[in-house]
Amino acid sequence: MATTTTKITISLIVLLIFYNCKKTNGEADKNISPSIKVTDTVIAISDTVLSKKDLEEFKKEVINKGDNYSFNRLAIHYIENSNYKELHKYSLIMANKYNKGDGYSQAFEDIVAMNNNNTYEDISDFAKINEKAKNEALKYLKKGASLNDINCMSKLQEIYRNGIGVEKDVKKADELKKKMEKM
């Protein structure tokens, strides 16, 4: 199982790929120039150059097309600003309207954060929230896992394996692990 540092590194690489990916015309988005700060335990991507125009465009792309690039840009922006309530609107659109795993995974994190002083550090925060919120968050994680979203499956596997906020269930964790290994 990957360590937290490995997971953070992989997440950073994925985010950097999104920054450098072609948008629609084959050129990188020139008005976004993130700065990256790496410490012993935290990797932060500064998003202060995101203009209101870009923000509105990303929102439209999520609402009208379920665009993953735009959703990830919004997620970076709202997480950096600890605005999970606003991000949750777009997570639900990606999940419920477009049936996208990223939306389900982010909806889980949003619910945890909104019920944990607007903070999501890692999966252990799930154990800190109330039962109603846990049930709601798990609903999104399970749906994403049923769509074979690797992030949802990985989080759910970790929750079951370690009994984080739920009764420990190694059998379910092993089933998810085997399913992920076959992917």
Side-chain angles (χ1 to χ4, degrees):
M1 189 155 120
T3 66
T4 302
T5 304
T6 304
K7 290 177 187 177
I8 291 171
T9 303
I10 291 169
S11 297
L12 176 62
I13 291 168
V14 170
L15 289 172
L16 290 174
I17 290 169
F18 281 117
Y19 277 122
N20 294 314
C21 281
K22 297 175 182 179
K23 196 161 179 194
T24 52
N25 63 356
E27 293 182 14
D29 193 350
K30 290 181 174 56
N31 36 349
I32 300 173
S33 56
S35 64
I36 301 171
K37 178 183 177 186
V38 180
T39 65
D40 289 341
T41 58
V42 178
I43 298 174
I45 299 175
S46 178
D47 195 24
T48 54
V49 253
L50 188 61
S51 70
K52 284 188 178 194
K53 179 183 172 194
D54 289 334
L55 191 59
E56 292 307 312
E57 182 63 29
F58 293 143
K59 289 177 183 180
K60 275 196 262 184
E61 290 292 310
V62 168
I63 293 167
N64 297 326
K65 298 178 184 174
D67 181 67
N68 283 328
Y69 173 84
S70 298
F71 177 67
N72 284 304
R73 293 298 298 131
L74 289 176
I76 291 167
H77 173 77
Y78 288 124
I79 290 169
E80 181 177 272
N81 292 291
S82 297
N83 191 347
Y84 287 91
K85 186 176 181 181
E86 187 66 20
L87 174 56
H88 195 55
K89 296 174 192 177
Y90 300 99
S91 300
L92 294 178
I93 290 169
M94 291 296 284
N96 297 329
K97 184 175 180 182
Y98 295 103
N99 215 28
K100 300 234 177 155
D102 284 353
Y104 289 106
S105 180
Q106 189 60 54
F108 168 83
E109 290 183 17
D110 298 342
I111 294 166
V112 172
M114 290 186 297
N115 288 277
N116 186 42
N117 300 317
N118 220 25
T119 302
Y120 182 88
E121 295 294 327
D122 59 41
I123 199 76
S124 66
D125 289 337
F126 178 67
K128 301 173 187 174
I129 64 176
N130 65 56
E131 287 304 311
K132 183 179 178 186
K134 279 182 192 171
N135 290 332
E136 182 73 7
L138 274 177
K139 175 180 85 172
Y140 285 99
L141 209 53
K142 288 176 181 178
K143 177 63 177 173
S146 75
L147 297 171
N148 294 327
D149 179 74
I150 196 77
N151 291 325
C152 290
M153 293 169 72
S154 178
K155 288 174 186 170
L156 196 55
Q157 187 260 151
E158 189 172 351
I159 286 170
Y160 286 137
R161 181 159 321 282
N162 299 305
I164 300 170
V166 298
E167 188 172 323
K168 192 174 188 175
D169 192 334
V170 176
K171 183 179 177 184
K172 283 183 183 178
D174 287 344
E175 288 170 5
L176 284 163
K177 183 178 179 184
K178 285 179 187 175
K179 190 173 179 182
M180 287 186 294
E181 288 171 348
K182 290 180 183 179
M183 294 174 65

